[in-house]
Amino acid sequence: MLNRRHIRVKVMQSIYAMHQHQSDNLDKEEKFLFQSIENTQNLYLLLLSALIEIKKKEEEYIELASKKHLATKEERHPNLKFINNKALVLLTESEALETALDDNNINNWKLNDDIILGLIDTIKESELYQNYMEKSTSSFEDDKNFIADLYTEVIAPSDRLYDYLEDYKLTWVDDLPGINTLIVKQIKQLKSEHDALVIPKVYKDSDDKEFVKNLFRKTVLNEVELSKEYIDKTPNWDVERIAEIDTIILKMAICELLKFPSIPTKVTINEYLEIAKEYSTPKSSIFINGILDNLVKEFDRDGKLNKAGRGLL
């Protein structure tokens, strides 16, 4: 579920939080870091369950409307295409998803059905929905593509949904883009209505989980040593005025360069430059790139880059 960049961002945020709280309780902060990472799966499950709840609420509405004393012709003979969407049915009937939702106690929408009802209203107002409902027939391919587009264009951009998620768990804000991308990718990869939905694991493998712990601990425990590597490499910058996020990114990058022999130098530099572009100031990536470029040359000259494995050049 999480890739290495996402893991690096999580570690960066945890170190930043430690600095802000002036905390030196490594075990406590590490526990919070792992909990934050584990919670990304709950976000994934919660967003997938929103699709299920949308289908269920619409079914309830159609049934109640058809039983009204003065029901209209449209209410007595409703268009069932949306609630019969094959991709939605697959999600609703997925045993793996149902089990995961139960195991993780994901029932938020039962307590916040106003958000689901608001999403339904927005969906019905969309041109995407109206065009879909006008077509008399559709294949599984059509159905899954519609749901993927609906999620991308209507559900994911919902301000009300975003506000709810932010209020519920602040750490989810930075997780949203990656989780949204994962959900859309999964929907598009479905082959037929008989496909079994696979609930992804939080970590790709045990190495990634170990990477979280090692990157966090090795950076935090060696912050003073790591900062010495770049302090005299910033002649045009007042060290005290360097953005704190930039100093953390530098320390993490230097830590990887020196203490993670299996990670290619280019991978480390590229990853942290991308993180700097997204999370720091506009000029940060240029600043960080200049320092890391000089440090790599120095480390290489002094024999400090003890890299091993394939793909390191």
Side-chain angles (χ1 to χ4, degrees), residues 14-62:
S14 292
I15 295 174
Y16 181 79
M18 282 187 72
H19 289 185
Q20 294 300 299
H21 301 147
Q22 297 183 336
S23 171
D24 59 359
N25 190 330
L26 192 63
D27 290 336
K28 177 184 176 182
E29 300 299 335
E30 183 181 84
K31 182 178 179 181
F32 178 82
L33 168 60
F34 276 107
Q35 186 177 36
S36 173
I37 291 174
E38 294 290 341
N39 282 333
T40 58
Q41 187 172 66
N42 284 350
L43 174 60
Y44 162 82
L45 293 171
L46 182 60
L47 290 171
L48 263 188
S49 70
L51 288 170
I52 295 174
E53 289 302 317
I54 286 170
K55 178 181 183 300
K56 289 181 177 179
K57 285 295 180 185
E58 183 61 7
E59 284 176 329
E60 290 174 6
Y61 169 78
I62 288 174

Side-chain angles (χ1 to χ4, degrees), residues 150-303:
L150 190 69
Y151 189 92
T152 302
E153 298 178 23
V154 179
I155 297 174
S158 168
D159 290 336
R160 193 172 182 185
L161 177 61
Y162 180 93
D163 290 343
Y164 170 76
L165 295 172
E166 183 181 32
D167 290 342
Y168 189 78
K169 201 172 294 293
L170 183 59
T171 57
W172 277 352
V173 171
D174 290 305
D175 300 330
L176 263 174
I179 297 302
N180 284 336
T181 299
L182 172 62
I183 288 174
V184 172
K185 182 179 178 180
Q186 267 200 303
I187 292 171
K188 287 184 175 181
Q189 287 177 339
L190 295 172
K191 301 299 182 185
S192 76
E193 57 263 51
H194 305 297
D195 256 7
L197 185 71
V198 177
I199 307 300
K201 297 178 181 178
V202 176
Y203 302 99
K204 183 179 70 175
D205 51 38
S206 59
D207 288 345
D208 275 3
K209 188 172 184 178
E210 193 67 19
F211 177 65
V212 175
K213 180 177 181 179
N214 288 336
L215 182 60
F216 178 71
R217 283 188 169 261
K218 288 181 179 182
T219 302
V220 171
L221 293 174
N222 295 283
E223 281 201 79
V224 175
E225 171 194 333
L226 295 169
S227 64
K228 289 178 181 178
E229 299 288 355
Y230 67 81
I231 281 178
D232 61 351
K233 306 295 189 305
T234 58
N236 299 321
W237 296 75
D238 182 346
V239 174
E240 296 299 322
R241 295 179 62 188
I242 299 175
E244 187 166 8
I245 285 291
D246 290 355
T247 66
I248 294 171
I249 290 173
L250 280 170
K251 290 170 188 174
M252 290 175 64
I254 295 167
C255 182
E256 272 194 34
L257 290 170
L258 298 177
K259 301 179 183 296
F260 290 78
S262 65
I263 299 178
T265 297
K266 286 185 177 180
V267 169
T268 294
I269 294 176
N270 290 338
E271 287 291 284
Y272 286 104
L273 289 182
E274 290 302 315
I275 291 172
K277 289 176 185 177
E278 186 171 355
Y279 290 92
S280 196
T281 66
K283 294 182 179 180
S284 290
S285 61
I286 298 172
F287 166 66
I288 290 171
N289 185 47
I291 293 178
L292 292 180
D293 186 55
N294 288 331
L295 283 176
V296 166
K297 292 175 183 176
E298 180 183 307
F299 293 160
D300 191 39
R301 184 180 65 245
D302 296 342

Side-chain angles (χ1 to χ4, degrees), residues 41-42 45 95-106 199:
Q41 187 172 66
N42 284 350
L45 293 171
E95 293 183 7
L97 181 54
E98 182 180 3
T99 299
L101 292 172
D102 288 341
D103 289 346
N104 291 276
N105 297 314
I106 306 295
I199 307 300

